[in-house]
Amino acid sequence: MKKLCPALCLVLLFALLLAPASYAEGSNTDTLLHWDIKIAVPDGATAALEGSSYYIYADEAGYLPYVMLTSYTRDSARDFVDEFTDYMRTQYADLRVTSEPRSVRIGGKACWEVDYAYSISGYEAKDRRIAAENNGRVYLFCSKEIEELGMTVGTMLEDVIADSVFLTDGKEPEQTQSSSKFADAYLYCLDSGMPKYWLDLSGRMSDSPVLHCWFRSGDPTFYETWYILDLDTADYHNGVVDIHKVTDAYGFDHSDWFKTLRFRLDGDELLLEVERDERTLAGGAEDNVLTGLYRMKEAGVGCLYQYRENGLLLKYWLDTDGRNLLLHALFRGEGPDFYESVFTLDLASAESTDDRTLVFRKVYDSMGLDVSKRFKALRLVVSDGSLTLEVERDESTMAGGTENNILTGSYEFTPKTVLAPPEPGPYSEEQLGTLAQIYYFTNNGFYPPRAEVAANGDGSYNIHLFEVVSLGGLTHTATSAWYTVDAYGAGFNDITGEEVSLVPMTLNIS
């Protein structure tokens, strides 16, 4: 077996996790209505929309080399290129700008190009970015290649740009009920700023929109649940999508809860209109989607993977700290309550047995202790679009019993989307404060009503989350958290010393 260095492990793993279930293969076109663009797929290539990025693979689907398209709400391609270079420097420590931004014209489109290079497992990766602007959006085309390994795209990047058609420039007629640009997600917050509903349109979790909700019933903290809004049975008219079938996270049909449930775009916002059948409000107002008109603002989407025991009870889920995989497990010891334990699956020591399997040699528990000897084998396998964790446990290391150990078995993980910012950082002080409030809320079920952010002068920021409480005629500050983070929201919890990332570190690739 060939041993992989950490960087190549990450590339391989992300390619595995995000390999699409199906592709548009051969000579055809894909129309991306939410981006107002039509893409021509070159002969012999395979293409797929994966969350917030559209990929065209020059060789084997899901791997380098490829051409990628992402879209951003920006007016100037030139300004965006400079902003994006700053972002790239945060992603690759050895990033080199091999060609400064320059104006180019491809297929009649005025563009700006910038070229980068960085190392992957000792090889130089070439990363070309070409930005084109149209109708208030910047379309960022990219090619990623490793010439030393023969992973090249030839002229495919230029061909794709030249053959693409913006739907709002008069060259392509409207083809469906609306050519409005839908974002990947939209968020509705209460007047306090606390998130209440967000609508996932990315297609990562379901082909249909997913309405995520935060409810509170009995317990003082909030919890998240979601509903699938079926598009196959929906009606479309004048840009309005009327939903007629609604199922919950477990597949139960709750369509009879709603007299009306529809959404439409209103400029940059999405309007969600709900008329509830009040007779179906068992549980009261705290844990139901209520009648109302909800004005939702653009948001972003991240993705993690989860395993539910018997298809219902959440047991394991995967995310990343940017270096390794994190396996979260819900265990139950002597008491009736569950507790969370987090295992680090070390990518530096992982090995690839084939192009679909990673074998982990080093595993660490929540305390950082090496627990690799508990497992005879721990493998991550992608097959037919599913992600499976295969475990062979050393039964002699079962101290604590079956309730608080990862047991021998095969666990199939399904995608679960999470709320994220609509654009990559760096973020302003105001944005960092909002991100910190949402981060605390989604992790603790309580929304701190106030956030104070102070720059430290070294590129870091202190964030104080708190509320002012009145007791017996006196007021005092009740602190929820202190964070010290950089402009991208990564840093530490000053109280616990734990690492935090205000932007979800999920299994996405960009």
Side-chain angles (χ1 to χ4, degrees):
M1 292 183 292
K2 183 178 179 181
K3 191 170 183 179
L4 304 178
C5 84
L8 192 55
C9 280
L10 279 169
V11 171
L12 172 61
L13 180 62
F14 288 163
L16 290 177
L17 294 181
L18 293 170
S22 62
Y23 299 88
E25 188 163 351
S27 179
N28 58 25
T29 60
D30 278 345
T31 300
L32 308 179
L33 284 175
H34 63 304
W35 288 348
D36 276 359
I37 193 170
K38 180 179 178 181
I39 299 292
V41 180
D43 288 338
T46 55
L49 180 63
E50 300 172 6
S52 60
S53 299
Y54 180 83
Y55 291 82
I56 302 177
Y57 297 102
D59 194 0
E60 185 176 356
Y63 295 92
L64 288 169
Y66 56 73
V67 168
M68 180 179 70
L69 170 64
T70 51
S71 177
Y72 302 86
T73 305
R74 294 287 194 279
D75 292 323
S76 170
R78 177 65 185 92
D79 294 341
F80 178 82
V81 165
D82 289 339
E83 177 185 344
F84 191 81
T85 297
D86 292 337
Y87 167 72
M88 288 289 284
R89 288 194 175 101
T90 70
Q91 304 300 302
Y92 301 98
D94 64 339
L95 180 80
R96 290 177 290 115
V97 179
T98 56
S99 180
E100 294 292 338
R102 60 196 182 278
S103 176
V104 296
R105 195 165 189 86
I106 303 173
K109 300 176 181 66
C111 307
W112 282 89
E113 178 177 351
V114 60
D115 298 345
Y116 309 108
Y118 43 83
S119 60
I120 296 179
S121 191
Y123 299 104
E124 181 179 84
K126 294 182 62 177
D127 188 326
R128 298 178 60 201
R129 303 274 172 163
I130 299 178
E133 63 190 63
N134 183 71
N135 197 35
R137 297 196 77 85
V138 168
Y139 297 83
L140 185 62
F141 296 86
C142 159
S143 66
K144 290 195 177 183
E145 306 172 297
I146 300 179
E147 290 185 346
E148 191 175 351
L149 298 179
M151 297 178 175
T152 58
V153 298
T155 64
M156 190 166 79
L157 176 61
E158 290 82 359
D159 294 342
V160 168
I161 296 173
D163 293 338
S164 64
V165 176
F166 297 126
L167 303 185
T168 53
D169 66 0
K171 296 181 181 180
E172 184 73 15
E174 185 174 310
Q175 295 186 5
T176 67
Q177 74 280 1
S178 172
S179 61
S180 299
K181 300 184 292 292
F182 282 95
D184 278 349
Y186 292 88
L187 170 66
Y188 169 77
C189 294
L190 302 179
D191 291 340
S192 64
M194 188 189 83
K196 181 61 178 176
Y197 305 123
W198 71 279
L199 188 65
D200 172 16
L201 301 173
S202 70
R204 296 186 185 185
M205 186 174 172
S206 167
D207 292 336
S208 290
V210 182
L211 179 63
H212 295 252
C213 313
W214 279 287
F215 293 141
R216 180 172 61 187
S217 180
D219 191 278
T221 59
F222 286 80
Y223 65 94
E224 184 183 9
T225 190
W226 65 90
Y227 301 95
I228 307 296
L229 312 184
D230 183 68
L231 284 183
D232 290 338
T233 58
D235 290 330
Y236 309 89
H237 53 91
N238 298 324
V240 177
V241 182
D242 267 302
I243 301 297
H244 300 298
K245 183 177 181 181
V246 180
T247 55
D248 65 16
Y250 307 110
F252 295 107
D253 192 329
H254 296 299
S255 308
D256 61 349
W257 287 2
F258 305 98
K259 295 180 178 179
T260 302
L261 198 158
R262 62 168 61 105
F263 62 85
R264 64 179 174 87
L265 280 181
D266 181 19
D268 292 333
E269 298 180 324
L270 183 140
L271 298 183
L272 178 67
E273 182 182 347
V274 177
E275 183 182 358
R276 180 70 187 232
D277 186 337
E278 305 300 330
R279 297 172 301 173
T280 62
L281 281 172
E286 290 292 341
D287 58 354
N288 283 287
V289 182
L290 303 180
T291 296
L293 182 64
Y294 304 100
R295 187 171 291 274
M296 311 180 84
K297 297 186 180 298
E298 184 176 340
V301 177
C303 191
L304 52 82
Y305 287 78
Q306 61 184 11
Y307 166 77
R308 291 181 174 271
E309 203 165 36
N310 299 320
L312 297 174
L313 183 65
L314 179 64
K315 182 65 176 178
Y316 304 120
W317 67 97
L318 287 165
D319 63 11
T320 178
D321 60 5
R323 299 179 300 274
N324 298 297
L325 271 187
L326 302 180
L327 174 61
H328 301 253
L330 289 179
F331 292 141
R332 182 168 56 193
E334 296 180 358
D337 296 328
F338 287 88
Y339 66 93
E340 180 184 351
S341 187
V342 183
F343 297 85
T344 299
L345 310 184
D346 182 66
L347 280 172
S349 59
E351 297 177 357
S352 174
T353 58
D354 53 50
D355 62 355
R356 290 296 182 185
T357 304
L358 276 181
V359 178
F360 294 95
R361 300 302 184 192
K362 288 291 185 181
V363 182
Y364 301 91
D365 67 10
S366 296
M367 304 299 293
L369 299 176
D370 189 337
V371 294
S372 311
K373 292 184 178 179
R374 296 181 185 176
F375 306 98
K376 295 180 179 179
L378 192 65
R379 297 181 292 267
L380 194 64
V381 182
V382 172
S383 178
D384 297 327
S386 66
L387 174 65
T388 303
L389 185 70
E390 296 181 350
V391 178
E392 294 181 38
R393 179 70 189 228
D394 185 342
E395 305 297 335
S396 65
T397 62
M398 290 286 286
T402 59
E403 290 292 341
N404 56 359
N405 282 289
I406 301 174
L407 306 180
T408 296
S410 181
Y411 306 98
E412 184 173 335
F413 287 71
T414 56
K416 164 71 164 62
T417 51
V418 294
L419 184 66
E423 303 288 355
Y427 302 105
S428 67
E429 292 184 16
E430 181 180 0
Q431 289 173 318
L432 287 173
T434 300
L435 288 173
Q437 288 171 296
I438 293 176
Y439 173 84
Y440 190 89
F441 172 69
T442 56
N443 284 276
N444 299 279
F446 172 75
Y447 184 80
R450 298 194 182 186
E452 289 183 348
V453 183
N456 294 322
D458 60 356
S460 68
Y461 300 84
N462 284 123
I463 303 176
H464 183 205
L465 302 182
F466 65 98
E467 61 179 324
V468 177
V469 179
S470 178
L471 183 63
L474 301 175
T475 60
H476 71 280
T477 298
T479 294
S480 295
W482 281 95
Y483 301 128
T484 299
V485 300
D486 61 19
Y488 295 86
F492 295 89
N493 183 319
D494 296 339
I495 298 174
T496 65
E498 296 176 333
E499 291 187 21
V500 299
S501 179
L502 305 183
V503 178
M505 294 290 290
T506 58
L507 300 178
N508 302 325
I509 189 169
S510 61

